[in-house]
Amino acid sequence: MRGGGGAPGVPLLEAEAVERTYRMGGDVEVRALRGVSFRVDRGDYVAIVGTSGSGKSTLLNLIGALDRPDGGHVRYDGRDVREMSDTELAELRNVRIGFVFQSFHLLSRMTARDNVAMPLVYRTSSPKERRRRATEALEAVGLGDRVDHRPTELSGGQQQRVAIARALVTEPALILADEPTGNLDTRTGEEIMGLLEGIQADRGTALVVITHEPEIAGRAGRRIELRDGLVVADAVQIPTRSTPAAVAP
Ligand SMILES: Nc1ncnc2c1ncn2[C@@H]1O[C@H](COP(=O)(O)OP(=O)(O)O)[C@@H](O)[C@H]1O
Ligand SMILES: [Mg+2]
């Protein structure tokens, strides 16, 4: 789904009083999220920040429908993730949300093009069509000349570009990125952020970036801060970007 869809007034993503407790056996519990609420609208650019252990990755797993909350609700277009069938969940994770992780999560034995084509397997398009769209996505991230390379034959920044191409190939409504610059040097990290921002600006894709780096968080239009499993700030901000948003033509 593109940025423009959905019923008016209904947010793309809504977290309402979300709780998650890890039970460690015995009486030991970790209350990783203690009632987190926020909403993300179509085309938003939000940074979620917090120190290590504040609950960022736990929250990403919940809003990415990779894990279930113990309390509260996660909704997409007003629909509770709990009420979705396995097919709907698979569609949500594979088509409507694009994931970008710190460690890229590419399959090392596949070429860049086959990695990018993976999410399209859940749709009915033919192998030829999947290859065409994967190539197009790799061109959009500036890797049109690397389609047959495997991850080990690419730099860290290039691997993250492949992961971004994989995230955008289904034309998702939302890209969820967990520490996308964490394994990259400052300059490459800025390029990666510029690329994600270009997609958000040009395609109207909502962008949620989880980061502990203030410079990265400062680039977003809004900043949500987590502390000890609670939202302690949620405010619009004026982005400070040292590089202009850019995507390859
Ligand atoms: N699988 C798990 N089992 C038990 N505790 C966990 C698990 N994952 C995270 N935690 C704990 O939950 C809290 C939040 O962790 P996490 O969401 O990874 O934070 P962040 O991503 O902000 O560093 C931390 O105290 C962490 O130790
Ligand atoms: Mg984390």
Side-chain angles (χ1 to χ4, degrees):
M1 189 190 87
R2 289 279 187 142
V10 177
L12 171 65
L13 161 65
E14 185 177 24
E16 187 194 327
V18 167
E19 296 177 26
R20 181 72 171 91
T21 300
Y22 295 109
R23 292 189 173 77
M24 308 297 293
D27 295 337
V28 183
E29 302 193 324
V30 179
R31 294 188 69 197
L33 295 177
R34 300 188 288 151
V36 166
S37 302
F38 63 90
R39 56 186 276 173
V40 175
D41 289 308
R42 285 160 195 79
D44 277 1
Y45 178 11
V46 181
I48 298 181
V49 301
T51 53
S52 178
S54 58
K56 302 183 299 296
S57 293
T58 300
L59 183 61
L60 177 112
N61 288 339
L62 293 171
I63 63 181
L66 304 167
D67 186 21
R68 283 163 188 267
D70 300 306
H73 305 274
V74 173
R75 298 187 188 92
Y76 276 89
D77 288 325
R79 190 151 159 68
D80 199 319
V81 168
R82 276 178 212 264
E83 286 160 17
M84 292 185 188
S85 66
D86 289 347
T87 314
E88 283 176 290
L89 280 173
E91 163 104 2
L92 180 64
R93 294 189 204 110
N94 294 308
V95 179
R96 303 199 51 216
I97 304 174
F99 291 94
V100 177
F101 297 99
Q102 175 171 357
S103 50
F104 322 134
H105 287 201
L106 299 174
L107 295 167
S108 57
R109 294 170 67 174
M110 285 190 182
T111 63
R113 183 167 38 209
D114 288 344
N115 268 283
V116 173
M118 279 293 283
L120 297 173
V121 171
Y122 298 89
R123 283 265 166 110
T124 48
S125 54
S126 68
K128 192 179 163 200
E129 174 69 4
R130 292 203 289 267
R131 264 198 308 280
R132 189 190 66 74
R133 287 179 60 181
T135 304
E136 203 176 84
L138 282 164
E139 283 165 358
V141 300
L143 286 181
D145 56 350
R146 293 287 187 280
V147 295
D148 289 319
H149 287 236
R150 288 173 215 283
T152 51
E153 299 162 349
L154 297 167
S155 70
Q158 289 172 331
Q159 289 182 59
Q160 196 60 304
R161 283 173 187 267
V162 174
I164 292 170
R166 181 184 56 189
L168 67 83
V169 75
T170 59
E171 298 181 348
L174 171 67
I175 291 182
L176 280 181
D178 192 7
E179 305 279 3
T181 63
N183 284 358
L184 306 173
D185 62 72
T186 306
R187 199 179 142 197
T188 308
E190 284 190 350
E191 284 169 17
I192 289 298
M193 291 312 299
L195 188 59
L196 288 167
E197 286 156 7
I199 294 162
Q200 182 255 343
D202 296 347
R203 305 186 185 210
T205 312
L207 177 59
V208 172
V209 176
I210 293 188
T211 182
H212 69 279
E213 294 177 65
E215 308 79 46
I216 300 295
R219 302 170 69 109
R222 194 172 128 217
R223 182 174 167 281
I224 295 175
E225 184 177 351
L226 283 184
R227 194 179 301 158
D228 295 332
L230 288 170
V231 172
V232 293
D234 182 347
V236 169
Q237 63 182 5
I238 297 164
T240 53
R241 291 180 204 168
S242 52
T243 49
V247 250

